[in-house]
Amino acid sequence: MSDRPITLPTFSMQGKVCMVTGAARGLGLEFCRAFIESGCTSLIVLDLKESEAKAAADELSALAIEHFGYEAKEVKVIGIACDVSSEPSVKLAYATIMETFGRIDAVVASAGIVENYSALDYPADRAKLLFDINVHGVFYTAREAARNMIPNGGGSIILISSMSANIVNIPQLQTPYNASKAAVKHLASSLAVEWAKDNVRVNSLSPGYMMTKLTKTILDKDPELKSTWERLTPMGRMGNPEDLDGAIVFLASDASKFMTGSEIRVDGGYCVL
Ligand SMILES: NC(=O)c1ccc[n+]([C@@H]2O[C@H](COP(=O)([O-])OP(=O)(O)OC[C@H]3O[C@@H](n4cnc5c(N)ncnc54)[C@H](O)[C@@H]3O)[C@@H](O)[C@H]2O)c1
């Protein structure tokens, strides 16, 4: 047997400095795992609470060392507290990243929230908070990434949108969320055009129903809903976070180096119905 690598070398995240927001749990944490599994050893975990970001960073360091056989001195995974809805907080996080690593190559904006109210009853302050996190937070995260990537020759930014950018979910009511995710998808396309000449690529990744704390909170209030979601999904199941591993590594790595302004949907076929 040949000892050639069994995947295209362009999919490797080796030597790249990566950062993920909302990475203490859920999809963000899984994106970090996928990067480690693809050879990344310089990683920044951003989340609201420092204790949770640092605990996730420790877990990821241990994964790299114990499971994937890296030496401890090769691995640098740090956890930083950051509220993405606050531009000063985002700027401070990037200042720490640049001080610690000197560059940033791949950024995933995964922090986001969902709440379910009818539009007629949605409290204005809750809708504002959702847009501050899901839209403005993604904008600050992407803009600060580009500001730091451009002087170093470019990079890849992935904005986590949702299938809700393309369809209206039923039966649960979530108009501001759906609108926020459509905004994220179009932010990716628009920023991609602005930064294309600087070799900063911006794409969006739109998951369908994935099993995380975000969806579990909704399902705990309405156990019947899970079978409704499964019935509406052609593949007949919810996604597991690791179902997104291939797409996130593709978008973050050089495997997608001529791709910008695109959306990848990973939704078990939901949107084609
Ligand atoms: N789970 C799904 O089915 C699904 C489907 C489509 C899209 N998405 C999107 O994927 C992303 C991740 O979702 P998830 O399921 O992992 O959610 P989750 O609730 O499990 O995790 C979200 C993380 O973001 C963090 N966060 C929230 N507000 C923040 C803020 N202001 N600053 C920094 N961090 C903050 C939370 O602390 C948490 O760790 C979200 O943008 C979500 O809209 C999820």
Side-chain angles (χ1 to χ4, degrees), residues 21-29 31 46-49 52 81-86 109-114 129 132-134 137-138 160-164 177 180-181 205-217 229 238-239 244:
T21 71
R25 67 171 197 229
L27 302 185
L29 180 57
F31 298 144
L46 243 66
D47 213 298
L48 272 177
K49 289 196 185 142
E52 292 178 8
C82 173
D83 177 353
V84 297
S85 68
S86 149
S110 186
I113 61 166
V114 66
L129 175 72
D132 279 345
I133 297 171
N134 290 15
V138 166
I160 304 306
S161 178
S162 167
M163 67 174 179
S164 310
Y177 178 83
S180 78
K181 290 300 174 177
L205 173 58
S206 293
Y209 289 121
M210 315 298 293
M211 192 50 95
T212 66
K213 182 96 185 281
L214 178 134
T215 40
K216 197 173 170 301
T217 309
W229 287 356
M238 289 183 67
L244 301 172

Side-chain angles (χ1 to χ4, degrees), residues 39-191:
C40 168
T41 50
S42 302
L43 184 61
I44 305 100
V45 173
L46 243 66
D47 213 298
L48 272 177
K49 289 196 185 142
E50 186 171 34
S51 58
E52 292 178 8
K54 284 191 185 306
D58 290 348
E59 184 191 313
L60 291 158
S61 275
L63 176 79
I65 295 161
E66 287 154 26
H67 199 73
F68 293 106
Y70 293 101
E71 285 185 41
K73 64 175 191 298
E74 292 178 287
V75 178
K76 197 188 257 187
V77 184
I78 64 166
I80 304 178
C82 173
D83 177 353
V84 297
S85 68
S86 149
E87 192 182 20
S89 176
V90 173
K91 284 189 165 188
L92 201 61
Y94 275 93
T96 306
I97 293 166
M98 296 311 282
E99 208 176 292
T100 312
F101 295 93
R103 59 180 297 116
I104 183 78
D105 301 298
V107 163
V108 182
S110 186
I113 61 166
V114 66
E115 289 187 309
N116 300 104
Y117 298 96
S118 75
L120 293 175
D121 297 325
Y122 214 116
D125 60 333
R126 300 308 300 176
K128 183 176 179 310
L129 175 72
L130 183 138
F131 280 103
D132 279 345
I133 297 171
N134 290 15
V135 182
H136 300 130
V138 166
F139 179 61
Y140 303 144
T141 303
R143 180 165 64 174
E144 223 41 44
R147 284 176 175 157
N148 287 289
M149 286 171 173
I150 290 169
N152 282 323
S156 176
I157 301 172
I158 300 109
L159 310 185
I160 304 306
S161 178
S162 167
M163 67 174 179
S164 310
N166 304 289
I167 51 92
V168 175
N169 305 65
I170 51 164
Q172 75 278 14
L173 300 172
Q174 49 182 51
T175 290
Y177 178 83
N178 298 343
S180 78
K181 290 300 174 177
V184 168
K185 178 181 162 182
H186 209 53
L187 262 180
S189 312
S190 306
L191 296 175

Side-chain angles (χ1 to χ4, degrees), residues 162-163 205-210 239-248 263-270:
S162 167
M163 67 174 179
L205 173 58
S206 293
Y209 289 121
M210 315 298 293
N240 299 310
E242 55 271 27
D243 290 329
L244 301 172
D245 288 1
I248 201 73
E263 177 196 31
I264 296 187
R265 276 192 289 107
V266 181
D267 63 358
Y270 194 104

Side-chain angles (χ1 to χ4, degrees), residues 213-260:
K213 182 96 185 281
L214 178 134
T215 40
K216 197 173 170 301
T217 309
I218 301 172
L219 293 175
D220 283 347
K221 290 182 202 144
D222 182 356
E224 290 290 295
L225 194 56
K226 182 163 183 282
S227 49
T228 306
W229 287 356
E230 286 168 346
R231 203 165 7 87
L232 290 167
T233 303
M235 289 188 78
R237 67 172 176 90
M238 289 183 67
N240 299 310
E242 55 271 27
D243 290 329
L244 301 172
D245 288 1
I248 201 73
V249 172
F250 171 62
L251 291 174
S253 70
D254 296 343
S256 60
K257 67 174 188 276
F258 192 51
M259 185 166 166
T260 198

